[in-house]
DNA sequence: TCAGGCAGTTTCCTAGAGGAACCTGGTTTC
DNA sequence: GAAACCAGGTTCCTCTAGGAAACTGCCTGA
């Protein structure tokens, strides 16, 4: 009995897969959510501010991820002409659209931890 | 001028970081969202059904990710005693709590794609 | 002048994520 | 008996994400 061809993926399914891939390509990596979450909370942070807030991240990763996020227009980077040059990172309007996702994710993570420690 | 000690991370920040780490430890990887999304949409799917729905995944990854998800109680695996043994994967009540996140993620991904192609 | 802060960059290294292909073992249809 | 379908497991291989540590360059206050 011949089975339907390999490609019987429904269209809504295809669309969802592509959408999730798009989102993940921008948000992949260990640190993006943390950086975005931090910048959503406290706007205008410097490089060292972020280092202090995001426990565990190193300078290389932070700088690389910041570049990624800037390239994708989720954050902005402005160099201030102060005496020791400082830089301000801030979330963009576009980046703010991620707030619900990050909030949900954090909420779910906390609930998950509770449910695990309970059992 | 001495700066405040390294650890001046606010508490809400620490909590968020831990929550996001918890969530990511369970949801990390290229395929978990796809699998969960597919199982939320159509309940009770077999191994080959999932292969067909999730374009691009291979047997190794699918089987490994399914084990992970089952271990974390997000899906169930039931072996049916049919003539050629079939298996049914389904989402759990717990797994369903991820629905808002996955929906949001897919929504965001689609919107992101639109905004990128527009510019 | 020298330690320390800011903002990174560069190099080196390794574990693990993930793909391709092949194998098993049972069953049913042609 | 050959071919095909289900449900995986196994092996081999590659690539890169990510950490550690060291270095740069500028500025400032003690």
């Amino acid at each position: 009995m011949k089975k339907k061809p390999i490609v019987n993926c429904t269209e809504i399914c295809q669309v969802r897969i592509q959408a999730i891939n798009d989102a993940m390509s921008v948000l992949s990596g260990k640190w993006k959510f943390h950086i975005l979450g931090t910048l959503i909370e406290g706007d205008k942070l410097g490089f060292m501010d972020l280092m202090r807030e995001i426990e565990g991240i190193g300078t290389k990763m932070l700088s690389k991820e910041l570049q990624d996020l800037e390239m994708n227009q989720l954050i902005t980077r402005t160099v201030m002409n102060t005496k020791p040059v400082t830089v301000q990172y801030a979330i963009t309007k576009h980046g703010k659209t991620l707030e619900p996702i990050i909030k949900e994710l954090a909420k779910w993570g906390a609930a998950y931890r509770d449910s695990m420690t309970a059992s």
Side-chain angles (χ1 to χ4, degrees), chain A:
Chain A
M1 96 317 221
K2 280 266 179 221
K3 259 305 171 71
K4 343 146 203 188
I6 302 285
V7 188
N8 75 334
C9 198
T10 64
E11 290 200 24
I12 48 160
C13 162
Q14 293 248 29
V15 167
R16 181 170 39 76
I17 287 181
Q18 190 166 59
I20 291 182
N21 279 336
D22 288 346
M24 302 228 306
S25 75
V26 175
L27 301 171
S28 66
K30 198 175 165 184
W31 298 110
K32 300 246 171 61
F33 281 118
H34 294 302
I35 296 173
L36 290 167
T38 306
L39 283 174
I40 285 174
E41 203 98 347
D43 67 349
K44 308 262 178 212
L45 294 176
F47 191 85
M48 280 301 154
D49 294 332
L50 287 166
M51 285 283 288
R52 285 190 215 94
E53 295 278 339
I54 305 170
E55 204 186 315
I57 199 171
T59 61
K60 195 193 78 172
M61 273 302 113
L62 180 54
S63 117
K64 195 210 127 211
E65 299 293 63
L66 286 171
Q67 281 173 30
D68 280 11
L69 293 172
E70 193 195 354
M71 217 182 313
N72 288 317
Q73 290 153 33
L74 300 178
I75 65 171
T76 59
R77 174 180 188 274
T78 29
V79 180
M80 315 300 288
N81 69 338
T82 48
K83 316 59 164 297
V85 181
T86 52
V87 175
Q88 283 190 346
Y89 292 95
I91 196 102
T92 63
K93 198 166 50 173
H94 201 157
K96 251 183 203 140
T97 61
L98 281 165
E99 191 168 356
I101 294 180
I102 295 176
K103 287 261 163 80
E104 283 290 328
L105 199 66
K107 208 172 69 182
W108 190 88
Y112 182 76
R113 164 171 293 260
D114 288 352
S115 81
M116 285 302 107
T117 54
S119 68

